[in-house]
Amino acid sequence: MTTADPAPPPPMRLRELVFGAACAAAVRAAVRLGVADTLDDTPMTVDDLAAAVKTQPHTLRRLLRALACQGVFAENPDGTFEHTEMSRLLREDDPHSLRYIALWCTEPWTWNVWPLLDEAVRSGRGVFEDVYDREFFEYLNEAAPESAHVFNRAMTTSSEQSARDVARLLDLDDASSVVDIGGGQGHVLAGLLEKYPHLHGTLLDLPGVVENADPRLREGGALADRAEVVAGDCREDVPVRADVYLIKNVLEWDDDSTRRVLANVRGAARPGARVVVIENLVDDTPSMRFTTAMDLLLLLNVGGAKHTRQSMTDRLTDAGLDIQGIQPVNAYLHAFECTVPG
């Protein structure tokens, strides 16, 4: 029976860390093979699993053994395998599924840029263009459609799951209008409109993003009479006046882009308007291993960065916003509640 090891001594822990790519690759392989989707509530033998996912039994056992050591799947004394809380998250039908996020973090391009992290640290800029001769999103949309699809599904999954937490956190009883800046397909906005029947909302994002907006927000949708979808680049303009401006996981680009977005919000907002910035932090959070890893990946692919509490505070203050409070949204997101001074 394969079980997770107790905390290893430092030399073995370091060995495990430098083999981290093997663990990530194993998770990716399990997703692509459909192991989690095939395994249901009843434990299965390796032979039966292998037949179902069309692999060799002896190599599938090796894959499952490596994952079980990490708590992804569990091996029983009789040699069968069953789900764990983590492995269920790899199922496509799980309500909290991380299937596409697992694929996104292990896409082929990631294996080519991670080895250049030292160069990114040395230069302070992204290295993606050095490898692929084009900007990150240009590459995704023009040269890697499968990876772009995985990215879009991963971002949709993340937005859908965090939307519930954002709607639970924000009190918009006294607001009549909200705009979600860089709000993707609008899952967060839709969640807020469903919670607050008096609220009118605007989704602002790039044309190629909002054309796939949540059906609830589009013409004929359940929320369409209280929603407007606006195509635009928030770094160039924020052409919306509202009581509340929501900016979630947007201020992760270079500092110039962050300054431009916040300046555009200041230019559009009336005095007293609320500006709620929601970000992953790389400090003061129980999920630092996750957020610091994302921070390094942002450096590699777009030259961006996750924020510390202080760096986010500094940028909001420099933009002329008054910070009223900071509170956790969930285990990996924090909300900075600000107002526009009079």
Side-chain angles (χ1 to χ4, degrees):
M1 183 173 67
T2 307
T3 58
D5 294 332
M12 183 51 66
R13 177 58 182 151
L14 184 58
R15 287 183 171 89
E16 292 174 352
L17 286 175
V18 298
F19 268 105
C23 183
V27 172
R28 180 179 179 83
V31 172
R32 286 170 59 85
L33 290 169
V35 177
D37 293 305
T38 300
L39 185 60
D40 206 341
D41 294 330
T42 303
M44 293 180 66
T45 66
V46 172
D47 286 344
D48 288 343
L49 264 176
V53 301
K54 297 180 172 57
T55 66
Q56 297 298 315
H58 66 284
T59 46
L60 180 61
R61 180 181 293 281
R62 291 164 65 182
L63 176 68
L64 291 171
R65 183 173 57 208
L67 288 167
C69 289
Q70 304 291 339
V72 183
F73 302 108
E75 184 179 5
N76 297 312
D78 63 359
T80 60
F81 282 86
E82 65 182 6
H83 271 302
T84 62
E85 289 186 24
M86 278 200 290
S87 64
R88 286 189 183 278
L89 297 174
L90 299 179
R91 289 181 60 92
E92 188 155 12
D93 62 0
D94 189 273
H96 304 289
S97 176
L98 296 178
R99 172 190 175 90
Y100 285 98
I101 292 175
L103 288 174
W104 167 242
C105 293
T106 56
E107 278 296 280
W109 64 266
T110 63
W111 306 102
N112 291 329
V113 296
W114 277 121
L116 299 177
L117 182 58
D118 59 327
E119 177 57 32
V121 171
R122 186 179 296 111
S123 66
R125 63 175 184 83
V127 298
F128 190 90
E129 290 188 48
D130 295 341
V131 178
Y132 289 99
D133 296 322
R134 64 183 81 189
E135 180 265 341
F136 178 67
F137 286 105
E138 179 184 340
Y139 167 81
L140 279 189
N141 293 320
E142 296 180 1
E146 290 186 12
S147 192
H149 171 72
V150 168
F151 172 76
N152 291 333
R153 292 294 299 268
M155 295 305 101
T156 297
T157 296
S158 181
S159 294
E160 288 174 342
Q161 293 175 356
S162 62
R164 296 186 287 266
D165 296 326
V166 172
R168 187 161 44 245
L169 172 77
L170 292 185
D171 183 353
L172 301 182
D173 282 328
D174 295 332
S176 62
S177 57
V178 59
V179 54
D180 191 355
I181 297 171
Q185 295 175 338
H187 300 293
V188 171
L189 179 64
L192 291 172
L193 294 180
E194 287 183 335
K195 181 179 179 182
Y196 296 99
H198 70 282
L199 197 64
H200 287 257
T202 302
L203 173 65
L204 173 65
D205 213 317
L206 297 171
V209 176
V210 297
E211 69 182 15
N212 296 309
D214 190 309
R216 291 172 291 177
L217 304 175
R218 299 201 300 262
E219 184 176 353
L223 304 171
D225 61 334
R226 293 189 287 122
E228 182 179 7
V229 178
V230 176
D233 186 341
C234 59
R235 293 170 294 184
E236 302 301 328
D237 187 26
V238 176
V240 183
R241 176 161 285 197
D243 297 328
V244 180
Y245 292 78
L246 179 62
I247 312 173
K248 176 179 172 291
N249 288 136
V250 170
L251 304 181
E252 302 172 346
W253 303 309
D254 57 277
D255 284 346
D256 179 62
S257 293
T258 294
R259 282 191 292 268
R260 288 160 57 194
V261 172
L262 292 175
N264 290 337
V265 171
R266 279 294 315 269
R270 64 175 68 90
R274 292 168 61 189
V275 179
V276 182
V277 175
I278 298 177
E279 288 288 337
N280 306 104
L281 299 180
V282 291
D283 64 347
D284 191 26
T285 174
S287 56
M288 280 188 64
R289 291 182 181 177
F290 168 64
T291 54
T292 54
M294 285 201 301
D295 177 53
L296 295 179
L297 189 58
L298 273 172
L299 169 62
L300 288 167
N301 61 13
V302 294
K306 292 292 183 182
H307 289 283
T308 64
R309 177 182 286 242
Q310 188 60 55
S311 70
M312 191 74 260
T313 297
D314 291 344
R315 282 156 180 77
L316 296 173
T317 302
D318 290 345
L321 298 172
D322 293 334
I323 300 176
Q324 304 300 318
I326 306 169
Q327 56 183 323
V329 178
N330 53 32
Y332 53 91
L333 287 171
H334 278 68
F336 292 73
E337 178 79 42
C338 310
T339 55
V340 176

